[in-house]
């Protein structure tokens, strides 16, 4: 490989896809639709200001959990009777501030240490759907009722998937869920093998203060860029997607809109934070609440990046079980929420 191609390759690896998409979209709008470009920028900034208090609060929660060591409490969810383990794992997955990048090494560590697959599956299913940061942002974007329902959905799907795996795991196909080439969990295993004490008043420790600042800054940049891109896409969607078309595809009641939103959520889902304003825009154009819930829940668990990570980590039977439980759980959740919210 030439030095030029190597340099180009390294530069490409450093390009952030969210910022690149923002720049390219805005440049395209400036050239092709200048008026829409200015309207989209105003829309984007106005919505960012509205969600800023919730964004800052969510960043603070995540940074505090990192600095205090509260994330190590996950180890306590995997002790005791199997049924209790499934229950605790579902609760911890839905309520703990774990980012998506931290779930994979944790899952590898748990499975490699022999933690029963039903408990791991319960945590794995519930974790991508909701956490404290997501709850705060969902409340600010879609309302408190929607956030509470999504939290309950995360717990219910974790419970359903965990207890379903109690029956499925009796089959020899699930005896060894991890792929042979997967190691012992890497850095994520430390919080399971040797959980440290939580220091709730962490600010007296210089290292923990630095961890708080580092975590807060990185989370703010991460969430900020995806929310900015999401609001830009929402402005374009509101400008160019006919409301009657949206209403025909995912609007109305019944099972078909929920099924459509579930299937669309798999390839179209960006990430949990970027999806919130997009769903808000779709619901303003006729998407039913049940379909919106199904889109968010299914997308969090089965989006292409998440599915690739699960596939790379587990054997095919475990991957298919995860996928089936996630999709069926999202559809059932959307249908139930649609009935309740009607």
């Amino acid at each position: 490989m030439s030095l030029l191609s190597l340099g180009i390759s390294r530069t490409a690896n450093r390009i952030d896809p969210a910022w690149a998409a923002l720049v390219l979209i805005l440049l395209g709008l400036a050239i092709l639709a200048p008026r829409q470009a200015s309207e989209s920028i105003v829309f984007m900034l106005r919505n960012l200001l509205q969600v800023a208090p919730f964004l800052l609060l969510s960043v603070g929660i995540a940074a505090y959990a990192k600095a205090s060591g509260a994330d190590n409490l996950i180890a306590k969810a995997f002790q005791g009777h199997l049924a209790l383990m499934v229950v605790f794992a579902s609760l911890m997955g839905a309520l703990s501030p774990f980012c998506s990048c931290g779930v994979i090494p944790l899952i590898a560590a748990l499975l490699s240490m022999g933690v029963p697959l039903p408990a791991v599956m319960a945590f794995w299913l519930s974790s991508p759907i909701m956490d404290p940061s997501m709850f705060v942002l969902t409340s600010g974007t879609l309302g408190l009722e929607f956030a509470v329902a999504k939290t309950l959905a995360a717990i219910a799907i974790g419970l359903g998937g965990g207890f379903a795996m109690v029956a499925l795991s009796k089959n020899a196909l699930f005896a060894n869920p991890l792929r042979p080439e997967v190691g012992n969990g890497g850095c994520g295993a430390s919080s399971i093998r040797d959980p440290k004490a939580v220091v709730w008043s962490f600010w007296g420790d210089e290292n923990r203060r630095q961890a708080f600042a580092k975590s807060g800054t990185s989370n703010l940049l991460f969430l900020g860029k995806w929310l900015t891109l999401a609001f830009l896409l929402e402005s374009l969607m509101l400008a160019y997607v006919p409301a009657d078309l949206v209403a025909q595809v995912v609007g109305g009641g019944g099972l078909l809109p929920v099924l459509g939103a579930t299937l669309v959520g798999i390839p179209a889902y960006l990430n949990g934070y970027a999806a919130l304003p997009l769903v808000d825009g779709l619901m303003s154009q006729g998407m039913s609440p049940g379909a919106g819930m199904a889109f968010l829940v299914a997308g969090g668990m089965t989006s292409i990046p998440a599915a690739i990570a699960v596939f790379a980590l587990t054997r095919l039977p475990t991957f298919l079980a995860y996928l089936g439980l996630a999709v069926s759980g999202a559809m059932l959740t959307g249908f139930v929420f649609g009935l309740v919210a009607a």
Side-chain angles (χ1 to χ4, degrees):
M1 181 182 291
S2 68
L3 290 177
L4 177 59
S5 61
L6 181 61
I8 293 174
S9 176
R10 289 178 177 176
T11 301
N13 289 335
R14 290 196 298 265
I15 295 176
D16 188 283
W19 291 123
L22 272 168
V23 172
L24 290 175
I25 292 173
L26 289 175
L27 282 176
L29 287 174
I31 296 172
L32 302 175
R35 181 176 179 179
Q36 181 59 45
S38 61
E39 292 177 356
S40 292
I41 291 174
V42 171
F43 178 92
M44 188 171 57
L45 294 176
R46 183 174 65 247
N47 281 275
L48 283 172
L49 286 174
Q50 290 177 353
V51 80
F54 301 96
L55 174 61
L56 294 175
L57 180 58
S58 69
V59 167
I61 292 172
Y64 179 79
K66 181 69 175 178
S68 64
D71 51 356
N72 289 330
L73 291 174
I74 187 63
K76 297 186 180 299
F78 300 97
Q79 299 173 357
H81 191 273
L82 180 58
L84 291 177
M85 291 170 70
V86 170
V87 173
F88 285 133
S90 301
L91 293 172
M92 292 298 291
L95 303 177
S96 296
F98 284 96
C99 63
S100 58
C101 62
V103 170
I104 297 303
L106 278 171
I107 294 300
L110 292 169
L111 290 175
S112 66
M113 291 176 63
V115 174
L117 182 57
V120 177
M121 184 65 74
F123 173 76
W124 206 341
L125 288 169
S126 62
S127 181
I129 302 174
M130 183 58 74
D131 56 47
S133 300
M134 181 70 71
F135 183 90
V136 174
L137 287 174
T138 303
S139 299
T141 308
L142 299 174
L144 180 61
E145 177 183 331
F146 203 103
V148 171
K150 193 162 179 272
T151 303
L152 295 176
I155 297 171
I157 290 175
L159 289 171
F163 285 113
M165 282 308 305
V166 171
L168 292 174
S169 60
K170 297 176 181 178
N171 192 299
L173 291 173
F174 299 97
N176 298 300
L178 281 177
R179 289 183 180 272
E181 61 271 21
V182 176
N184 65 354
C187 60
S190 60
S191 62
I192 306 301
R193 296 192 183 99
D194 186 23
K196 301 296 191 300
V198 179
V199 181
W200 299 110
S201 304
F202 71 86
W203 41 88
D205 188 317
E206 174 64 22
N207 291 331
R208 291 180 183 270
R209 289 200 303 270
Q210 292 179 0
F212 179 86
K214 182 178 179 180
S215 176
T217 301
S218 62
N219 284 331
L220 181 61
L221 291 174
F222 176 80
L223 298 179
K225 70 184 180 185
W226 281 110
L227 285 172
T228 302
L229 177 60
F231 286 131
L232 176 60
L233 295 176
E234 183 184 1
S235 71
L236 298 179
M237 178 184 62
L238 293 174
Y240 296 115
V241 178
D244 56 347
L245 176 62
V246 176
Q248 290 175 11
V249 176
V250 293
L255 186 59
L256 286 180
V258 173
L259 174 61
T262 302
L263 298 178
V264 169
I266 296 174
Y269 195 82
L270 296 175
N271 65 59
Y273 303 101
L276 291 174
L278 291 178
V279 169
D280 186 36
L282 285 170
M283 289 177 64
S284 69
Q285 290 182 284
M287 173 185 264
S288 66
M293 179 66 74
F295 178 88
L296 288 174
V297 171
M301 295 184 292
T302 63
S303 63
I304 291 175
I308 290 174
V310 177
F311 182 78
L313 181 64
T314 62
R315 296 178 186 268
L316 185 59
T318 305
F319 169 74
L320 293 177
Y322 174 89
L323 203 62
L325 291 170
V327 172
S328 58
M331 289 181 57
L332 182 61
T333 297
F335 183 67
V336 172
F337 183 69
L339 292 176
V340 173

